[in-house]
Amino acid sequence: TQNTVKILCHIFKYMVYKILWEDYIMKNFFKVFAGIMLAGLVLCACSSQNTASSSSSDGSGASKDVQQSSDSVSKDESGKVSEKNDSGSSGDKAAKDLSGTTLKVVATSDKYVKLFDEFKKQTGADVEFLSMSSGEVLSRAKAEGKPMADVWFGGGLDAFMAAKDDGMLELYKSPNAEDIPDQYKDADGAWVAKGITVAGFLVNDSVLEEKGLAVPKTWKDLEDEKYKGEIIMSDPSISGTNYAVIKGLLDFYGEEKGWEYIEKLNSNIAFYGKRGKDPQEKTTAGEFGIGIIPVDKSAFDAAEDNKLSVVYPEDALPWVPEGTAIFKGSDNLEAAKAFIDFMLTKEAQELIAELDGKDTAQIVKPGVKGLSLGLPKDKLIKQDLSTFGSSREKVLEKFKEIAKDKVEK
């Protein structure tokens, strides 16, 4: 367009030159006048077109800049925990840029690598973790007298409550925990649950069938002496899930009848495993007919692969919130708080539900769906969570008196 204007300008100048020098204007006045007017109109048209084009270019550029800015925000928000998600505004606090820092986590399992990778993707922080049961974490932290990590991720609530009483936990109330029901978070901010664990039975049908035993359907069934030597559970001082079993059954039956039941159950248990996963692994291997386990998708997968059965006890379902917390004296408090914020977002909760293989009834974050494992929510025991931590030592001491030498060293 600019080249066209230049050419027309040269033509116009040449015509004026010819007119002035050859006195053509006087001889052909009307023709010259028409030619000049025509040239002027062409120049105006070209000039208008050029201006319009420039304006259009500037306008589209501005529009493009706005779009790029919008896209940049969108990308930034999708790259971090944002205040918006596909389902609308979640109100969750956004993640910080923590590039160059390292977060140390102690978790109940190594299955959370995907979650830690997502945290790194959103914040830039590296994550180092080790796997350990909640009872082991509590014992080791007490023995060492210093924080063993920045974040404690997962494990039975009893250990977290005991840790709070011992002054081992940082108090932090994440803004992303505001919609978590009160029963799943500490009033002072010492811990917040990432979900709940539910206990049930894993049954090796072949072992029971070989011995002519029926598949147990209730906790009461397990006190029958015909199951003597066929039941395995983990040491409740190590396993948060199995502490929840003991404490839950005490709440279900009442203190006196509860301990009577536990004594009968103990008579049928050969020994108490020192690892939380012992019941599932040893039942799957055919060493026992019945394992008392945390029921999740991995249990159903093991059952399908090994011709086992998963049983939600029909009379009662013991359960326990799985805690998360920040250790007091954390070396990276900023990253630890950022992780708790991240962990409580809708997106992270959905990922945790997937990794934990949880039924929707085990999710504590409103609006987050889990799997459909058939968990009968109405069978969850009405437990006194306020005494989960304060009663821990007393309950475990009584249990040791009953179990005696059946607890693995």
Side-chain angles (χ1 to χ4, degrees), residues 74 76-95 112 114-119 121-122 153 176 179-180 194 338-356 363-370:
S74 176
D76 180 66
E77 289 181 347
S78 65
K80 297 181 184 296
V81 180
S82 68
E83 295 186 1
K84 288 186 177 182
N85 54 45
D86 292 339
S87 60
S89 176
S90 67
D92 288 335
K93 180 180 177 182
Y112 300 110
K114 189 175 179 180
L115 179 73
F116 300 147
D117 286 346
E118 182 63 24
F119 178 67
K121 177 182 175 183
Q122 295 191 18
F153 187 73
N176 295 347
D179 59 349
I180 302 293
K194 70 179 181 69
F339 181 81
I340 298 298
D341 293 339
F342 158 78
M343 183 272 297
L344 291 171
T345 62
K346 180 176 182 291
E347 294 81 2
Q349 284 286 299
E350 288 173 344
L351 180 55
I352 291 171
E354 173 192 331
L355 298 174
D356 280 343
I363 308 300
V364 300
K365 180 82 169 178
V368 177
K369 291 185 177 181

Side-chain angles (χ1 to χ4, degrees), residues 86-393:
D86 292 339
S87 60
S89 176
S90 67
D92 288 335
K93 180 180 177 182
K96 297 180 178 180
D97 182 2
L98 299 167
S99 302
T101 66
T102 298
L103 179 73
K104 295 181 179 179
V105 181
V106 58
T108 51
S109 170
D110 57 6
K111 65 185 175 184
Y112 300 110
V113 172
K114 189 175 179 180
L115 179 73
F116 300 147
D117 286 346
E118 182 63 24
F119 178 67
K120 178 178 180 178
K121 177 182 175 183
Q122 295 191 18
T123 65
D126 291 321
V127 179
E128 295 178 358
F129 73 95
L130 68 155
S131 178
M132 191 177 295
S133 69
S134 57
E136 290 176 297
V137 173
L138 186 60
S139 298
R140 180 170 161 179
K142 280 185 176 181
E144 295 180 356
K146 61 180 182 180
M148 57 188 301
D150 299 305
V151 170
W152 186 0
F153 187 73
L157 185 62
D158 56 298
F160 286 82
M161 287 181 163
K164 180 195 175 184
D165 291 342
D166 290 337
M168 296 165 55
L169 304 181
E170 181 77 21
L171 302 184
Y172 175 60
K173 294 183 179 181
S174 170
N176 295 347
E178 290 180 359
D179 59 349
I180 302 293
D182 290 343
Q183 64 178 328
Y184 300 128
K185 60 187 177 186
D186 179 60
D188 298 320
W191 55 265
V192 62
K194 70 179 181 69
I196 70 171
T197 292
V198 174
F201 312 149
L202 181 66
V203 177
N204 191 312
D205 299 284
S206 298
V207 171
L208 294 189
E209 185 177 349
E210 185 180 314
K211 298 182 178 181
L213 299 174
V215 173
K217 300 295 184 183
T218 64
W219 289 101
K220 185 167 180 59
D221 288 344
L222 295 189
E223 69 180 21
D224 194 318
E225 61 180 13
K226 68 183 179 183
Y227 292 113
K228 188 177 183 65
E230 294 299 332
I231 305 170
I232 180 173
M233 69 179 285
S234 296
D235 177 1
S237 68
I238 297 295
S239 166
T241 300
N242 283 282
Y243 173 79
V245 169
I246 300 297
K247 182 66 170 63
L249 291 174
L250 289 174
D251 286 342
F252 177 66
Y253 284 110
E255 186 81 8
E256 184 176 348
K257 290 185 177 180
W259 283 118
E260 289 177 1
Y261 172 82
I262 290 169
E263 287 184 1
K264 293 177 182 178
L265 177 63
N266 176 71
S267 298
N268 291 336
I269 292 177
F271 72 95
Y272 296 90
K274 60 182 179 181
R275 300 184 308 155
K277 53 189 174 183
D278 279 348
Q280 181 163 319
E281 290 183 352
K282 293 182 180 297
T283 301
T284 300
E287 295 179 40
F288 294 89
I290 305 162
I292 297 174
I293 64 163
V295 178
D296 54 28
K297 187 175 183 296
S298 70
F300 284 94
D301 289 342
E304 184 177 354
D305 294 339
N306 299 280
K307 297 182 179 179
L308 311 175
S309 297
V310 176
V311 177
Y312 286 119
E314 295 174 358
D315 48 356
L317 284 175
W319 60 278
V320 61
E322 302 162 15
T324 60
I326 300 172
F327 282 106
K328 196 168 188 177
S330 161
D331 291 334
N332 197 344
L333 184 58
E334 183 180 22
K337 289 181 177 180
F339 181 81
I340 298 298
D341 293 339
F342 158 78
M343 183 272 297
L344 291 171
T345 62
K346 180 176 182 291
E347 294 81 2
Q349 284 286 299
E350 288 173 344
L351 180 55
I352 291 171
E354 173 192 331
L355 298 174
D356 280 343
K358 292 189 179 302
D359 187 276
T360 297
Q362 296 173 267
I363 308 300
V364 300
K365 180 82 169 178
V368 177
K369 291 185 177 181
L371 305 175
S372 297
L373 302 178
L375 192 158
K377 193 172 182 178
D378 61 322
K379 296 299 182 181
L380 293 174
I381 295 173
K382 293 181 180 180
Q383 297 182 154
D384 183 3
L385 294 180
S386 66
T387 61
F388 240 73
S390 59
S391 298
R392 188 174 191 274
E393 289 189 11

